[in-house]
């Protein structure tokens, strides 16, 4: 392999090489420093005059005397079933002292788009044991549902609880977890690893770790390695894979860093104009394929800078993912765990996964009714602050109480409390029963007669 | 056809590549690299030709060949379009699965129409008839829709020398003119050029969608334009899909432009099972889908809306009413921005290219109710979803769209959080077609309809003002009359405006039922105000039980008898209230 010593510019993570033979776009590059260390990079722009290489590790130590080798192929990763139970670095190197991965296959990490015609509609209900997700923002197999959180909120605990408890009721199929950390701290890593070990989840997991002090640019490939592994496990080996990506905000920061180094015209708040397309190339790698056994379900975590849901990172994510679970600071301050605010939360695939034969026939209507009641009750809190509780009509007072009950009984649950969907819905009915029946306009009479505690107890 | 010209690749930067030595014209389709990826010329600079590539360019090197086909990006139009699903450049996705498996690889081409299928062609003209460009010479019964075979618009026309009947492929000649011109069932049309029409007409018939808030309050005309802007999670896609399902157009073209893969799959699995309320046939039979999901190449996303509207125009030329949904035009604009920034063009607002407004207006202007070349009337209604970042309507795509479209259905995240669906804000939305359509409503619904509509809007507007006071002092502090107004407005919101797209009955509401529901609410309001005048306490008026059955009407198929009962019960209950005073 030819080695070039024609570096003419280094700027941040970018290395500019001149006078090369034709080099392919997105080709893998090895840069050899004078002390012998080899660093990896990827071609971002290629022409017969100059080639721009983005280096995944720190460019410290790279100089005009470093050698550049173009490998002639795009980045491929070795995958195999033995990856389960392994801990790898953000660029896929073993980090647990174990041997290198022996490849059963080498796959392009870019990942081709699933042909929409080949996709299968996700419709299998996943029970997470968390009421605010199961009953009101249902997760289904093959969905990409992110957790929108803020700094200092317990999103990691929620993600872990989901990873621990998630199951498809009545199914015994093989499952696996692919965990990709981008720029998280050592402490957060310990938290995740301790939990994986405690629950024995590590056996079924592949872990990719890019920590806060690892090179930022490496974060660009970490989620791609994780998703390539997930697709291999799902569509070649038939596993049901849950992918946890954390923290997408760090990924986007890395993207911005490269954009700035390339002197690109920035989009909103300095993030590159192609961030939507780039994020889509990650998030869209979830789903089911007709005729294939496995599935890829994505649960990504992102911290909203300043708790601002209109910030470009949560905003663009929300347009791609199939809903979002929003973690709320106010609920957290009230001491409620999990502090999920159902109002801005949403699961777009919910309707496909619920109802008769899947969960329960009253699921949709109960969920809608609780939303409506909680939204109205929540609004009334603002009014109470001004006029006092006594000035409210009887109806409004009931709604106000409903909102309190909703938070304290429905939202709140223990870290290890695994509620079945029946429990969650029954709890919903119990709360709805505190409201007069004529306020339940979103539920048909028949369902009210069948499920309302008032009529149920009569039957019993 | 121009002679094929060959050049050499010089630079590759994402979806934009530069070639030298190529003899090219703007928007020529070129084949890039050893794998012959499809691309389009978007800029010419000295000897350099800049090309946007519709497929992933990784691994392509400088020095690989580029050849020019000399043609512009075009679609194949003819029998076989209906029920198809295409990517942004009209490659049939179903065929691609067979050719390259579950994932979309590159360098594979497939024609838009099947060139093997034989279609039963029925001639409608005979030898000796004179036919002009655009004239209908025959038809093919495809699904329950008839695809009409036309003389291509660019033909000179003439007298029919020979016309055949029987089964043919789209490539076979079915008709010969005296000029020696052969006419096939397939036409090829460049996507960036609007298909010609005789005349554009005034849109004065509403597109009935079965959605109460749209048909009732903010109707769009057949051949009109509408925009649905809204933050994520406010129900744009559900609204678009409801329109695709229930609008009374004969043909629906649905463009999933840079959106989610699973959503397109949902349409694909759902539409074949859903029935067209008019024909009783599966909705899929009248539908053409274009799916260029967010992770498919960005240049093909840019092309997808043109592909879609050209197909829509083709059906319009047969005399059909076509509705076209583009979800989402913001993704299309972002594709333009991405390509523009790779070209290092001077950016306009928020990094979007300076020609954003021009492109948007060119696109929406392709909508319209027209007299076709054949003398029939047809229409293309364009309904574009807009996804404003952060739900901020002041951003460039929303603003430039609003300057063009006549109908604005403002989605509101606050409403969707309360599960008020469709989450269309009745105060911010508008339709500029009300005047032109009022005659139709007079004649086809009721002469009272337009009055009822204005009355409902007034109540809702009044409620918004009152709510501000209620927020401060509580509802009990309002004067009696206004307490009743609040109650009437609540009924309008919860009974008329809210509609459950997932309920088998409520998902589609006929114009007649819309009128009946509105009438019942008006009846309550009239009875309530007159009872109030007679001295009945507002608390009693607001809590009458007879109106509690009204919401159930929405979920009842044969509602007439129940409605009758509710009317009677309301009248009786109010009469009782007044009697109690005496």
């Amino acid at each position: 392999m030819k080695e070039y010593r024609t570096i003419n510019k280094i700027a941040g993570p970018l290395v500019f090489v001149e006078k090369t033979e034709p080099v392919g776009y997105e080709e893998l590059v090895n840069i050899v420093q004078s002390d012998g260390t080899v660093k990896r990079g990827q071609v971002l722009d290629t022409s017969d005059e100059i080639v721009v290489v983005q280096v995944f590790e720190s460019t410290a130590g790279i100089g005009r005397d470093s050698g550049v080798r173009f490998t002639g192929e795009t980045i491929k990763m070795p995958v195999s079933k033995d990856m389960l139970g392994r801990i790898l670095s953000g660029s896929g190197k073993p980090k647990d002292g174990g041997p290198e991965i022996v490849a059963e296959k080498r796959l392009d990490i870019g990942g081709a788009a699933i042909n929409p015609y080949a996709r299968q509609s996700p419709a299998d209900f996943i029970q997470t044991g968390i009421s605010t997700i199961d009953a009101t923002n249902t997760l289904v197999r093959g969905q990409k549902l992110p957790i929108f959180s803020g700094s200092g909120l317990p999103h990691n605990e929620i993600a872990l609880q989901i990873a621990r408890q998630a199951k498809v009721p009545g199914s015994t199929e093989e499952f696996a977890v692919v965990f990709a950390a981008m720029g998280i701290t050592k402490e957060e890593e310990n938290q995740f690893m301790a939990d994986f070990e405690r629950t024995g989840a590590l056996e079924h997991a592949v872990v990719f770790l890019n920590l806060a002090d690892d090179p930022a640019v490496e974060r660009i490939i970490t989620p791609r390695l994780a998703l390539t592994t997930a697709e291999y496990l799902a569509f070649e080996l038939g596993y049901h894979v849950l992918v946890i990506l954390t923290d997408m905000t760090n990924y986007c920061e890395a993207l911005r860093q490269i954009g700035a180094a390339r002197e690109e015209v920035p989009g909103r708040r300095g993030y590159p104009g192609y961030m939507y397309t780039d994020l889509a190339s990650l998030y869209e790698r979830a789903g089911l394929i007709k005729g294939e056994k496995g599935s890829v379900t994505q649960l990504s975590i992102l911290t909203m800078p300043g708790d601002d849901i209109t910030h470009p990172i949560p905003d663009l994510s929300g347009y791609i993912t199939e809903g979002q679970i929003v973690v709320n600071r106010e609920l957290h301050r009230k001491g409620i765990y999990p502090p999920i605010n159902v109002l801005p939360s949403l699961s777009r695939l919910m309707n496909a996964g619920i109802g008769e034969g899947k969960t329960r026939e009253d699921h949709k209507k109960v969920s809608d009714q609780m939303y409506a009641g909680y939204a109205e009750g929540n609004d009334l809190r603002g009014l109470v602050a001004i006029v006092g509780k006594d000035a409210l009509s009887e109806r409004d007072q009931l709604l106000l109480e409903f909102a309190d009950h909703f938070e304290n009984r429905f939202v709140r649950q223990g870290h290890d409390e695994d509620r079945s969907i029946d429990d969650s819905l029954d709890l919903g009915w119990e709360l709805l029963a505190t409201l007069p029946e004529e306020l339940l306009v979103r539920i048909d009479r028949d369902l009210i007669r069948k499920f309302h505690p008032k009529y149920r107890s009569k039957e019993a | 056809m121009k002679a094929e010209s060959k050049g050499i690749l010089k630079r590759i930067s994402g979806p934009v590549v530069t070639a030298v030595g190529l003899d090219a014209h703007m928007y020529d389709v070129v084949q890039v690299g050893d794998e012959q990826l499809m691309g389009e010329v978007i800029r010419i600079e000295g000897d350099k030709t800049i090309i946007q590539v519709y497929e992933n360019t990784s691994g392509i090197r400088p020095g690989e060949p580029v050849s020019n086909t000399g043609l512009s990006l075009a679609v194949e139009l003819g029998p076989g379009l209906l029920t198809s699903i295409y990517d942004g450049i009209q490659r049939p996705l179903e065929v691609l699965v067979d050719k390259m498996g579950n994932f979309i690889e590159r360098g594979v081409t497939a024609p838009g129409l099947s060139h093997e299928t034989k279609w039963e062609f029925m001639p409608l003209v005979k030898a000796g008839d004179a036919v002009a460009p655009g004239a209908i010479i025959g038809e093919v019964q495809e699904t329950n829709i008839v695809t009409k075979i036309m003389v291509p618009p660019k033909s000179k026309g003439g007298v029919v020398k020979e016309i055949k009947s029987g089964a043919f492929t789209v490539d076979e000649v079915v008709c010969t003119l005296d000029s020696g011109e052969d006419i096939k069932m397939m036409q090829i049309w460049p996507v960036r050029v609007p298909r010609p029409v005789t005349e554009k007409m005034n849109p004065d018939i509403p597109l009935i969608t079965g959605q109460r808030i749209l048909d009732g309050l903010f109707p769009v005309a057949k051949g009109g334009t509408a925009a649905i802007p809204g933050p994520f999670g406010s129900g744009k896609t559900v609204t678009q899909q409801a329109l695709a399902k229930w609008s009374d157009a004969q043909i629906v073209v649905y463009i999933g432009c840079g959106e989610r893969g699973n959503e397109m799959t949902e349409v694909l699995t759902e539409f074949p099972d859903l029935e067209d309320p008019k024909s009783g046939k599966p909705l899929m039979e009248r539908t053409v889908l274009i799916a260029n999901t967010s992770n498919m190449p960005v240049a093909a996303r840019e092309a997808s809306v043109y592909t879609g509207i050209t197909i829509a125009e083709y059906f319009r030329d047969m005399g059909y009413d076509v509705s076209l949904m583009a979800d989402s035009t913001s993704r299309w604009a972002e594709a333009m921005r991405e390509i523009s920034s790779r070209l290092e063009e001077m950016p306009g607002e928020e990094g979007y290219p300076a020609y954003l407004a021009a492109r948007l207006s060119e696109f929406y202007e392709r909508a319209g109710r027209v007299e076709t070349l054949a003398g029939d009337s047809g229409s293309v209604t364009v309904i574009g979803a807009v996804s404003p970042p952060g739900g901020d309507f002041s951003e460039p795509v929303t603003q430039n769209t609003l300057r063009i479209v006549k109908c604005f259905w403002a989605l509101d995240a606050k409403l969707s959080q309360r599960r008020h669906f469709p989450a269309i804000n009745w105060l911010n939305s508008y339709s500029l077609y009300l005047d032109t359509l009022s005659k139709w409503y007079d004649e086809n619904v009721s002469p009272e309809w337009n009055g009822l509509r204005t009355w409902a809007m007034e109540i809702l507007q009044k409620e918004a003002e009152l709510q501000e006071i209620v927020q401060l002092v509580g509802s009990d502090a309002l004067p009696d009359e206004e307490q009743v107004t609040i109650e009437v407005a609540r009924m309008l919101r919860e009974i008329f405006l809210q509609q459950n797209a997932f309920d088998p009955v409520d998902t589609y509401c006929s114009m007649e039922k819309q009128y009946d529901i509105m009438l019942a609410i008006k009846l309550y309001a009239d009875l309530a105000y007159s009872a109030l005048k007679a001295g009945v306490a507002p608390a009693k008026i607001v809590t009458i039980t007879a109106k509690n059955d009204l919401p159930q009407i929405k979920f009842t198929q044969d509602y007439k008898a129940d409605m009758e009962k509710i009317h009677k019960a309301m009248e009786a209950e109010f009469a009782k209230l007044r009697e109690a005073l005496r």
Side-chain angles (χ1 to χ4, degrees), chain A residues 325-336:
Chain A
I325 302 291
V326 182
V327 182
N328 177 272
R329 198 170 295 277
E330 241 171 78
L331 287 173
H332 181 59
R333 282 204 200 108
K334 285 185 193 168
I336 293 170

Side-chain angles (χ1 to χ4, degrees), chain A residues 12-24:
Chain A
L14 302 184
V15 172
F16 296 71
V17 190
E18 348 169 81
K19 299 189 202 101
T20 60
E21 277 164 22
V23 171

